[in-house]
Amino acid sequence: MRKTPFRQIHMDFHTSPLIERIGSAFDKETFGRTLADAHVESVNLFAKCHHGFYYYPSTVGRMHPQLSFDLLREQIESCRAAGVRTAIYTCVGWSEDTAHTHPEWQEVGMDGILGHRVPFTRATTSTSWQKLCLNNQAYRAYMRDEFAEIVTLFHPETLWIDIVFQQQCLCETCLRDMTGQGMDPAASADRIRHDRMVQIDYMREMYSYVQSLAPGTAVYFNGHPYEMDLEDDPILTATNKRKYNTFIDIESLPSEMWGYSHFPIAVNYVNKYDQDITMMNGKFHLSWGDFGTIRNTKALEYECFRALAHGAGCCVGDQLHPDGRIDAYVYKRIGAVYSAVARKERWCRDTRKVAQIGVFTTRRAGRESPLDHNRDLPVEGTCRMLDELHYTYDILNLRDDLSRYDCLILPDKVWTDAAATARIEQYLCDGGRVIATGTSTLDLDAGRFQLADLGVEYRGMSEYTPRYMRLDPVVFPSVEPMDHVVYEPGVDVVPRPGAICLSDVIHPFFNRGEAAFCSHRQTPPDRSGHP
């Protein structure tokens, strides 16, 4: 049963120390009532922002220098009076004031830049914050003090902890850890591996600490707990991150780097598990911090209704003006959408997803940077096709239960170990069906596919790129009977006895090069020997 509210607001409040009279227009009666009138069930409120300042009188760090009262407490009391739940936000990866006060707590990049912030870039990039190292034990002690203060003062139901990732840190602590574990700090693969170990360890330690302070407190670490991987490494898999998150928020603003393909892929990886999920978009035209904007109503409706269709709740990102005045016009629009969401919720509660097809991710655990936002191009292409064909699907790792699916798809480059191969073979013996493309299940050293039932023998990577496909017109009567170009490199295979070939491969006359070329782009198909 879902415990997390369906209709939420994430109210950013990253506020410069150069702006005076912070919260001067805050109206305690209006604030909570505006949220309630907009059908908001819960709001994330700021204890501390990326600038590193606190919005209550803190003994751990500095309250915002232009704030004269306990804004966070006033916001919480206003919301409670209006019947709106509150979660408390803080940030650990970016904190400008902390970075200035303790530069020794910052990460060090491969370029030797402290905190990763390239000088003179704040005017040109929205993410040019100084990055603190989550592996620094003095900084961890500071964060434990902050969490203890927040829990003691405000008794939150939920702590929402932001920027929980590493960026291939080479500070003294991380260098010592890597060399002590036999890793090579000069190798990016080892730095990424170490990042993941630090990230998981940080979540584990801080989750346990918060529970020791207030058992049952919901905790969310914004560190991509929905990240896909094959669960091929029990130490590095993102499954370990999900252990320390009470629920999963999928931050996915379609208007910026995430795009519209991001959310459905991320949610179809995690919505097969019994864990509350919320889609997080924003009211912005562009992205976070975009003042003076209201998202197009149709876009906001589509994103929220799509969340419901995938078994997720909705969390719309907003940013409060430094004067503390909530924008009635923004919440009039959000309220119209949330009113429609509320009317649909009775059909969305206590539901369980049913999927026809299982699609394996191609991502190996701990080998990808989480900052690539879950990009898995073979999976993205597969999911777009399945969406257009109106098939329901889950995105799988090697340890997921296979028995519930009518068909499994292994797109292009799915690595499998012996145990996973045996489970897929058993699935086939039990009457299941498999579609595999490219190098999926290929043992390159042995020169063969591990999944023998694929019905083809590996002959190597294609000599030609691009190539052409000529589909069997009897099997594919709706596809034009022509040679269709395949732009990406492929695999040469031959069918085993008893296998049925549905398409011929037609090579070009030659690969395009400096001396051999034809027309503007690819070389045409060589039809000699073909009808």
Side-chain angles (χ1 to χ4, degrees):
M1 179 180 294
R2 184 180 178 89
K3 298 179 181 179
T4 309
F6 272 99
R7 289 162 273 124
Q8 303 176 37
I9 294 293
H10 185 88
M11 190 171 286
D12 261 15
F13 199 57
H14 303 295
T15 309
S16 168
L18 301 177
I19 299 175
E20 299 179 349
R21 304 180 69 239
I22 301 302
S24 59
F26 174 75
D27 186 297
K28 188 172 181 179
E29 182 178 346
T30 302
F31 185 80
R33 189 180 68 243
T34 301
L35 292 168
D37 289 347
H39 305 277
V40 173
E41 294 181 284
S42 180
V43 59
N44 298 343
L45 299 173
F46 271 41
K48 186 185 73 178
C49 70
H50 290 350
H51 289 276
F53 298 116
Y54 294 76
Y55 295 95
Y56 65 91
S58 173
T59 60
V60 175
R62 282 206 297 164
M63 187 166 84
H64 196 289
Q66 308 292 350
L67 179 65
S68 61
F69 66 101
D70 190 339
L71 176 60
L72 177 58
R73 185 172 298 280
E74 294 288 291
Q75 290 175 322
I76 292 172
E77 290 177 355
S78 176
C79 289
R80 286 177 177 167
V84 177
R85 291 170 56 174
T86 59
I88 292 183
Y89 168 102
T90 190
C91 181
V92 297
W94 294 335
S95 178
E96 289 291 292
D97 191 56
T98 310
H100 288 310
T101 307
H102 291 282
E104 74 277 12
W105 292 354
Q106 294 187 59
E107 288 192 12
V108 177
M110 271 294 291
D111 49 12
I113 294 178
L114 192 64
H116 298 286
R117 196 190 77 77
V118 178
F120 311 113
T121 58
R122 283 206 177 101
T124 57
T125 175
S126 63
T127 57
S128 188
W129 303 92
Q130 297 176 89
K131 179 65 175 64
L132 293 153
C133 178
L134 303 182
N135 198 30
N136 186 291
Q137 297 306 304
Y139 183 46
R140 286 198 184 188
Y142 176 92
M143 288 311 307
R144 287 194 296 271
D145 290 343
E146 180 185 300
F147 295 152
E149 181 176 74
I150 291 171
V151 168
T152 301
L153 291 177
F154 302 106
H155 309 288
E157 293 182 48
T158 301
L159 270 176
W160 207 100
I161 303 165
D162 202 6
I163 313 299
V164 187
F165 56 79
Q166 293 281 98
Q167 292 178 267
Q168 301 189 42
C169 181
L170 291 173
C171 73
E172 290 186 9
T173 301
C174 290
L175 282 172
R176 185 170 58 249
D177 275 5
M178 279 189 273
T179 54
Q181 297 179 60
M183 298 183 188
D184 179 6
S188 62
D190 279 358
R191 295 195 302 274
I192 292 172
R193 179 182 179 87
H194 185 253
D195 280 354
R196 176 61 59 83
M197 295 169 68
V198 169
Q199 183 188 37
I200 293 171
D201 183 65
Y202 182 89
M203 291 181 180
R204 177 199 57 76
E205 179 182 330
M206 295 305 170
Y207 178 86
S208 299
Y209 181 67
V210 170
Q211 297 308 312
S212 74
L213 296 170
T217 301
V219 179
Y220 179 72
F221 295 100
N222 195 26
H224 309 92
Y226 51 83
E227 182 181 358
M228 301 184 301
D229 65 58
L230 285 168
E231 204 175 324
D232 51 300
D233 188 318
I235 295 174
L236 302 182
T237 176
T239 300
N240 294 327
K241 292 194 278 187
R242 293 194 293 277
K243 293 177 184 176
Y244 307 113
N245 284 269
T246 309
F247 55 88
I248 295 177
D249 279 3
I250 300 177
E251 182 183 7
S252 188
L253 281 65
S255 50
E256 210 206 19
M257 54 195 167
W258 293 271
Y260 270 105
S261 293
H262 176 262
F263 175 75
I265 290 174
V267 75
N268 279 299
Y269 181 66
V270 291
N271 65 1
K272 61 184 180 289
Y273 303 126
D274 187 19
Q275 195 166 17
D276 287 356
I277 302 169
T278 301
M279 176 277 311
M280 177 180 282
N281 65 347
K283 67 92 181 178
F284 314 103
H285 285 168
L286 299 176
S287 191
W288 298 105
D290 193 9
F291 285 105
T293 60
I294 306 180
R295 190 142 182 77
N296 177 282
T297 300
K298 293 299 181 184
L300 195 58
E301 286 178 339
Y302 172 73
E303 292 150 25
C304 290
F305 298 163
R306 183 176 67 169
L308 294 180
H310 284 92
C314 312
C315 182
V316 177
D318 183 24
Q319 179 145 261
L320 189 65
H321 190 276
D323 68 11
R325 181 186 303 156
I326 192 167
D327 195 324
Y329 298 102
V330 168
Y331 285 91
K332 182 179 180 181
R333 179 160 298 179
I334 292 174
V337 176
Y338 271 6
S339 174
V341 169
R343 292 194 299 271
K344 296 171 175 59
E345 285 175 16
R346 60 179 172 144
W347 290 285
C348 302
R349 297 186 185 279
D350 303 327
T351 59
R352 184 172 297 277
K353 181 182 180 185
V354 176
Q356 301 159 282
I357 296 174
V359 180
F360 283 93
T361 181
T362 71
R363 292 169 62 102
R364 303 284 299 276
R367 301 192 181 198
E368 315 277 353
S369 169
L371 301 181
D372 69 358
H373 295 286
N374 239 19
R375 284 313 289 273
D376 187 335
L377 292 178
V379 167
E380 182 173 342
T382 303
C383 293
R384 286 189 180 196
M385 287 189 283
L386 295 178
D387 285 339
E388 292 177 11
L389 293 168
H390 298 166
Y391 286 111
T392 57
Y393 58 88
D394 287 337
I395 300 175
L396 308 179
N397 61 49
L398 299 180
R399 312 304 165 209
D400 281 322
D401 178 17
L402 307 181
S403 63
R404 67 183 74 175
Y405 305 105
D406 298 331
C407 177
L408 302 178
I409 299 178
L410 288 72
D412 289 3
K413 53 178 183 178
V414 177
W415 176 89
T416 55
D417 57 16
T421 302
R423 293 177 67 239
I424 296 171
E425 288 175 339
Q426 183 60 52
Y427 166 84
L428 286 168
C429 288
D430 293 338
R433 290 165 287 187
V434 170
I435 298 172
T437 61
T439 61
S440 289
T441 82
L442 177 65
D443 182 339
L444 193 58
D445 293 333
R448 60 178 176 80
F449 293 106
Q450 294 192 71
L451 193 61
D453 290 332
L454 287 180
V456 293
E457 293 184 4
Y458 176 70
R459 288 291 184 265
M461 300 305 295
S462 171
E463 177 185 354
Y464 296 99
T465 303
R467 298 188 295 177
Y468 298 85
M469 288 177 58
R470 186 175 296 176
L471 300 173
D472 187 323
V474 176
V475 179
F476 302 100
S478 62
V479 178
E480 294 82 355
M482 58 178 283
D483 296 337
H484 295 270
V485 67
V486 180
Y487 292 106
E488 297 299 319
V491 176
D492 281 339
V493 296
V494 294
R496 288 181 169 177
I500 300 172
C501 182
L502 303 181
S503 172
D504 288 325
V505 174
I506 311 298
H507 291 150
F509 286 98
F510 43 76
N511 282 325
R512 187 180 182 91
E514 182 64 27
F517 61 95
C518 180
S519 189
H520 301 302
R521 293 189 179 275
Q522 68 261 27
T523 308
D526 180 0
R527 293 173 177 165
S528 59
H530 296 275

